[in-house]
Amino acid sequence: MQRTKQILLTLAATVILAGLSWLAGASRPQVEWTSVAVARRDIPAGASLAAEDVTTVRIPAESVHSEWLMDPEAAVGLWTPTGLAEGEILHTRRLNDQPEGIQYPGPGPGRRLMTLRLDRASANGYWLAAGCRVDLHLVPRGAVNEPVQVLKNIAVLRVLDGSAQGSSAVLASPQGGDLLLCLDLSAAEAALLAYADIHYSIRLAVVNE
């Protein structure tokens, strides 16, 4: 008889606990989930999105931003001027329906990228590499009384040596041909350098500060 009572009490306690657990779950607010479009892999700047570039992830509906793309098919054919990282949620402000140019890494908005052909000896014995800062001395050809103009503290974004990817560092040496330097300039500096390439001799001094 005593054993029967213990069994009944155990069953009653189990039923009570199950009921309390159910009530606790029922009292919690239900989370709504929805899907948003994300990049399936890293997408380079200037690329047009294809179907295989896009997938979806599920997130709480209350977290969704009004400018996020929900339908992955809506992203197909759009262009990314800045590039996308794998898993990045697709935002309408980061995508264009027309190719409108690339926002290159490094220089800020409104800057100009310009490539300059330069003799290797102009590096003056330094290793010349992306990230170096240089002064460009614009020396008039034949005009003795005209002053030398200097574009100061110009960033070298890339050193192009003829290889597909360019060189990370190039030893200053008269052998091996000319270099192409990709420079980060303001619009005014780019205009002056374009003019100087015809009317001036350009000498480079590597900044060592």
Side-chain angles (χ1 to χ4, degrees):
M1 186 68 180
Q2 185 67 25
R3 182 175 178 79
T4 301
K5 287 183 178 180
Q6 289 177 345
I7 293 173
L8 291 174
L9 288 173
T10 300
L11 290 173
T14 301
V15 170
I16 291 171
L17 289 173
L20 290 174
S21 297
W22 181 86
L23 288 173
S27 64
R28 291 197 198 102
Q30 296 298 312
V31 176
E32 285 189 40
W33 294 82
T34 189
S35 295
V36 295
V38 300
R40 187 189 296 270
R41 52 177 173 252
D42 290 344
I43 309 297
S48 175
L49 297 181
E52 57 269 22
D53 295 326
V54 186
T55 186
T56 59
V57 296
R58 286 175 59 78
I59 64 172
E62 63 182 13
S63 301
V64 173
H65 193 283
S66 61
E67 294 181 325
W68 290 353
L69 290 180
M70 314 291 289
D71 182 5
E73 293 185 4
V76 175
L78 297 181
W79 298 78
T80 168
T82 58
L84 300 168
E86 180 180 353
E88 181 177 344
I89 295 175
L90 302 186
H91 196 296
T92 55
R93 292 188 180 180
R94 298 286 308 279
L95 298 167
N96 298 325
D97 57 2
Q98 297 291 331
E100 297 179 354
I102 299 173
Q103 295 178 19
Y104 294 90
R111 302 291 292 175
R112 303 293 185 268
L113 276 67
M114 190 170 185
T115 301
L116 175 68
R117 185 180 302 278
L118 200 67
D119 187 301
R120 287 176 185 260
S122 296
N124 299 316
Y126 289 86
W127 287 84
L128 188 61
C132 284
R133 295 273 174 171
V134 298
D135 291 343
L136 297 176
H137 294 255
L138 313 181
V139 183
R141 293 187 182 132
V144 178
N145 296 326
E146 190 174 345
V148 174
Q149 298 189 62
V150 182
L151 300 180
K152 293 186 175 181
N153 206 30
I154 303 297
V156 176
L157 295 179
R158 201 70 177 265
V159 180
L160 306 175
D161 61 355
S163 64
Q165 298 298 323
S167 176
S168 59
V170 176
L171 180 62
S173 168
Q175 285 83 28
D178 292 341
L179 300 174
L180 296 178
L181 301 183
C182 183
L183 305 174
D184 175 15
L185 304 163
S186 68
E189 289 169 337
L192 178 58
L193 192 55
Y195 176 83
D197 196 35
I198 301 172
H199 300 282
Y200 290 73
S201 295
I202 302 173
R203 295 292 181 264
L204 178 148
V206 179
V207 176
N208 184 30
E209 296 177 357

